[in-house]
Amino acid sequence: DAKTTQPPSMDCAEGRAANLPCNHSTISGNEYVYWYRQIHSQGPQYIIHGLKNNETNEMASLIITEDRKSSTLILPHATLRDTAVYYCIVLGGNTGKLIFGQGTTLQVKP
Amino acid sequence: SQTIHQWPATLVQPVGSPLSLECTVEGTSNPNLYWYRQAAGRGLQLLFYSVGIGQISSEVPQNLSASRPQDRQFILSSKKLLLSDSGFYLCAWRIPQGNTGELFFGEGSRLTVL
């Protein structure tokens, strides 16, 4: 499974867009990019995933570069409740093994 | 619909005592099952994963063990707990669908070893 690299922390003003980057330069052609977030003392929550096309759902947008070596999670209008640790992982097939990196701690400030 | 149950939610144990955390999944078959640990202020560390009954893969050498006696049951155990075993333990499941398959987490078990 490919490794991911994320900045350890980011700040965002409430109401503004939060753009969280992730590098996954060793991703293979059949691996998907998944994003999860973890609010303190809870289990991680699924946000979005994609293969090579940009994706959007009610929570966020996912922009994947054409070479698929990096992606950006966009929270269009961040709220205080979006303060959490955001994890980017890549996975594919039935290898079973899912490794989380250290994630990015997003602090949304009023 | 699928659900995942994990218990106990909190546990305080003395050093050297045994441990058993249990996780069950309902509403699905042949899931991949996972145990993660999160120490205070740290990220998620994969401990064990299983792609089938009796098939356990260990990621980190430690004094913990895992078992999968039934398709939808995953148990994390220790014979003698260490202080360093304290942490937040999360069970998760996933159905691989081609190259995808979202990972679903339980609510976690918070273990404090004194």
Side-chain angles (χ1 to χ4, degrees):
Chain A
D1 291 325
K3 284 189 174 180
T4 62
T5 305
Q6 299 175 255
S9 63
M10 293 182 65
D11 290 342
C12 178
E14 188 178 18
R16 304 299 291 269
N19 296 285
L20 293 94
C22 180
N23 286 325
H24 30 80
S25 58
T26 59
I27 193 170
S28 61
N30 63 348
E31 288 182 317
Y32 281 70
V33 180
Y34 274 76
W35 283 83
Y36 288 80
R37 74 179 182 185
Q38 186 179 25
I39 297 170
H40 183 62
S41 298
Q42 297 181 22
Q45 174 192 23
Y46 166 82
I47 300 173
I48 199 168
H49 75 280
L51 181 63
K52 54 184 177 181
N53 297 322
N54 298 337
E55 302 288 345
T56 295
N57 63 20
E58 65 279 3
M59 290 182 68
S61 295
L62 175 61
I63 308 297
I64 302 174
T65 58
E66 191 169 343
D67 63 7
R68 303 208 327 118
K69 292 185 177 182
S70 65
S71 61
T72 301
L73 178 74
I74 301 173
L75 307 178
H77 305 286
T79 71
L80 297 178
R81 288 179 296 178
D82 291 323
T83 293
V85 179
Y86 288 77
Y87 295 98
C88 165
I89 63 173
V90 293
L91 66 92
N94 191 22
T95 61
K97 188 167 144 178
L98 296 178
I99 303 292
F100 282 73
Q102 293 301 306
T104 296
T105 299
L106 175 68
Q107 182 72 47
V108 180
K109 299 184 175 180
Chain B
S1 63
Q2 302 92 348
T3 56
I4 179 169
H5 302 283
Q6 186 180 340
W7 69 93
T10 59
L11 198 59
V12 179
Q13 293 285 101
V15 169
S17 64
L19 171 73
S20 180
L21 299 179
E22 189 162 344
C23 172
T24 59
V25 180
E26 296 178 357
T28 188
S29 298
N30 302 316
N32 286 357
L33 296 172
Y34 304 82
W35 277 112
Y36 289 89
R37 176 172 63 197
Q38 189 169 38
R42 307 291 294 274
L44 290 162
Q45 179 187 34
L46 178 63
L47 300 177
F48 300 95
Y49 66 96
S50 171
V51 299
I53 296 174
Q55 301 178 58
I56 310 294
S57 297
S58 174
E59 281 301 294
V60 182
Q62 60 212 317
N63 69 321
L64 299 171
S65 61
S67 61
R68 185 171 178 173
Q70 300 180 45
D71 180 45
R72 292 168 290 174
Q73 185 184 27
F74 207 24
I75 299 171
L76 183 70
S77 304
S78 174
K79 292 182 179 178
K80 289 185 178 181
L81 284 168
L82 306 173
L83 287 174
S84 58
D85 291 324
S86 292
F88 189 46
Y89 289 80
L90 286 156
C91 180
W93 70 273
R94 167 181 177 244
I95 294 289
Q97 297 169 340
N99 290 324
T100 62
E102 180 182 338
L103 193 62
F104 297 93
F105 286 85
E107 291 304 310
S109 298
R110 189 164 300 282
L111 170 66
T112 303
V113 182
L114 301 175

